Amino acid sequence: MTKYVIHGGSPLYGEITISGAKNAAVAILPAALLVDGVCRIENIPQISDVTLILEILEELGAGIRVINRHTIDIDCSHVRNTRASYEIMRKIRASYYVIGSLLGRFGSAEVAMPGGCDFGVRPIDQHIKGFVAMGAQVNVEGGFIHAQAESGRLVGTQVYLDVVSVGATINIMLGACRAKGLTVIENAAKEPHVVDLANFLNSMGADIMGAGTDVIKIRGVDRMQGGFYSIIPDQIEAGTYMTAVAAAGGEVVIQNVIPKHLECITAKLLEMGVEVEELDDAVVVRREHPLRKANIKTMPYPGFPTDMQPQIVACLCLAQGTSIITEGVWDNRYRYVDEFKRLGANIRVDGKIAVVEGVDRLMGAPIRACDLRAGAAMVVASLAAEGTTEIDSVYHIERGYENLIEKLKGVGADIEVVSVPDGLEKQQVG
Ligand code: EPU
């Protein structure tokens, strides 16, 4: 096991290049199960969540050939196994995308219930509602989801989502690609990775219209062939480095981004007194003056992303004035607040509301990453804190950030990875 040791308090200067989007990759890789042929996928981030998804695909019988660090060929032509085991599935939330893919291709799936970051209850009723509407029988028994299309193939229909769910939108879209007839998803999620998945599927022969709006129409096709696809840059990784500059100060060019995807984050940083300049495929983030307070409510895209909530709170801890944060997506996404308090932050939480009173400075302390984005936010806070912060349980962070240490060192951060002898750190499931 490892921990990060960060000596904070110095501004950041230089360039950071953003990797491929985690939440697009973890949907696109299982989507290859729908394809009879080789999918060459580029710009795959090297993170542990991707490794786990590839393990699940291999267990199902996919042929995987590594072309280079960020490119692989996946050939699912010979997959016949439709059962994904508990051992791997429990480790990652996005593993549930194999349900939509297997059900869409074979009319049947038997998959252990997924794991994932703990933000309170994480139901999958909307996924199941979609599959049932498309003619599947779905039972949850012994920790497994058993799904079977009654006529051997899913049948297109209209599905209205009761909550805007990224996972349900993606899973139903996957199930619908090779279903019989037309599926219409209403109240669909509009996140960039939903659009990226639709673009991938279309380039492999699917017929999807409307991704990026709240009505997505999928006309089922009999066959999908292989092809090439390059994953979009990671909105949240880019946003995390933007907040790192906002918190620590300095000036950093964040390369390989789609500035449009960052507008929801940029708007708040501007309000807080951070300068953000948009270029074609980069943003320049500069912070020279003290941060100002901001009120933030997290919402589905194009609202402010819940996956940026802990990182922006890290900045607001040091802003002048009182900021009010409303978590609009998850029930319990403030578990990290007690760790921030160890650094000297002044935050009160009442249900989905957090009140952040800005303080003049944070001071380094030993803290623990409790989930992926909270862990990233702890890095952001530590870069701004005076003295030394040690963050443990950093395997959470490594689920979603490629090369974080090298990227931050490249802009002058004093951060290193230190080994912790086995047994001193208790591993949790991410
Ligand atoms: N919900 C339901 N029923 C469902 C599905 C969701 O009630 O069947 C509720 C959830 O409880 C939540 C809301 O709907 O309150 C949104 O959940 P959503 O399904 O959109 O979340 P998800 O698909 O499980 C993805 C990301 C999360 C991100 C959320 C929201 C992936 C692999 N995960 O999760 O990302 O927080 O969307 O944007 O795409 C992360 O990357 O750190 C991360 C946790």
Side-chain angles (χ1 to χ4, degrees), residues 22-24 26-27 49 92-94 96-97 117 119 121-128 163-170 189 191 193 236 299-301 305-307 328-331 333 352 371-373 399:
K22 167 181 96 80
N23 287 346
V26 297
D49 267 12
I92 169 171
R93 185 82 189 157
Y96 56 32
Y97 293 145
C117 288
F119 314 136
V121 182
R122 295 187 70 175
I124 57 166
D125 57 300
Q126 298 302 306
H127 306 230
I128 293 175
V163 288
V164 180
S165 159
V166 171
T169 302
I170 288 180
E191 267 67 5
H193 38 288
I236 304 298
M299 281 190 280
Y301 190 82
T306 174
D307 291 343
V329 177
W330 296 110
D331 285 340
R333 204 167 189 170
K352 290 187 161 195
D371 63 56
L372 167 60
R373 306 303 174 187
R399 286 184 41 217

Side-chain angles (χ1 to χ4, degrees), residues 305-320:
T306 174
D307 291 343
M308 282 299 303
Q309 183 255 95
Q311 301 90 312
I312 203 91
V313 167
C315 299
L316 292 172
C317 286
L318 286 162
Q320 291 173 338

Side-chain angles (χ1 to χ4, degrees), residues 343-371:
L343 302 176
N346 183 350
I347 308 174
R348 275 171 294 142
V349 175
D350 185 3
K352 290 187 161 195
I353 310 276
V355 179
V356 184
E357 307 277 358
V359 295
D360 290 337
R361 57 185 195 153
L362 297 174
M363 291 293 292
I367 51 177
R368 167 164 291 214
C370 50
D371 63 56

Side-chain angles (χ1 to χ4, degrees), residues 127-365:
H127 306 230
I128 293 175
K129 170 180 159 171
F131 297 143
V132 169
M134 295 168 80
Q137 273 208 346
V138 183
N139 300 307
V140 181
E141 246 178 56
F144 270 78
I145 302 163
H146 303 261
Q148 180 79 41
E150 278 168 13
S151 64
R153 183 179 178 189
L154 292 177
V155 181
T157 187
Q158 190 161 342
V159 183
Y160 179 86
L161 296 181
D162 300 326
V163 288
V164 180
S165 159
V166 171
T169 302
I170 288 180
N171 235 340
I172 296 167
M173 199 154 78
L174 291 168
C177 282
R178 292 184 61 170
K180 192 162 176 281
L182 180 71
T183 302
V184 181
I185 309 174
E186 292 188 88
N187 200 25
K190 297 181 278 210
E191 267 67 5
H193 38 288
V194 172
V195 180
D196 204 37
L197 172 68
N199 288 340
F200 165 79
L201 291 166
N202 281 341
S203 69
M204 302 294 147
D207 182 358
I208 303 173
M209 279 174 53
T213 75
D214 51 15
V215 180
I216 304 180
K217 294 183 179 169
I218 309 118
R219 196 169 290 285
V221 296
D222 290 335
R223 196 169 182 281
M224 291 169 65
Q225 76 291 336
F228 289 84
Y229 195 75
S230 184
I231 292 174
I232 52 166
D234 196 306
Q235 175 206 27
I236 304 298
E237 188 199 11
T240 301
Y241 291 119
M242 291 168 82
T243 53
V245 185
E251 178 172 333
V252 174
V253 184
I254 301 178
Q255 301 276 12
N256 187 35
V257 300
I258 299 175
K260 175 87 191 147
H261 294 167
L262 302 175
E263 277 173 1
C264 36
I265 302 160
T266 300
K268 279 295 154 190
L269 290 176
L270 291 173
E271 204 179 308
M272 290 160 63
V274 180
E275 291 172 53
V276 183
E277 194 184 331
E278 290 184 2
L279 309 177
D280 284 348
D281 58 359
V283 286
V284 185
V285 183
R286 192 178 309 113
R287 207 272 286 165
E288 288 163 347
H289 306 295
L291 291 168
R292 294 193 292 265
K293 71 180 177 76
N295 295 336
I296 291 172
K297 177 164 184 175
T298 67
M299 281 190 280
Y301 190 82
F304 189 88
T306 174
D307 291 343
M308 282 299 303
Q309 183 255 95
Q311 301 90 312
I312 203 91
V313 167
C315 299
L316 292 172
C317 286
L318 286 162
Q320 291 173 338
T322 305
S323 304
I324 303 193
I325 317 300
T326 310
E327 173 53 48
V329 177
W330 296 110
D331 285 340
N332 184 5
R333 204 167 189 170
Y334 292 121
R335 290 193 317 145
Y336 63 88
V337 161
D338 285 344
E339 301 300 307
F340 274 22
K341 285 183 182 168
R342 292 178 200 276
L343 302 176
N346 183 350
I347 308 174
R348 275 171 294 142
V349 175
D350 185 3
K352 290 187 161 195
I353 310 276
V355 179
V356 184
E357 307 277 358
V359 295
D360 290 337
R361 57 185 195 153
L362 297 174
M363 291 293 292

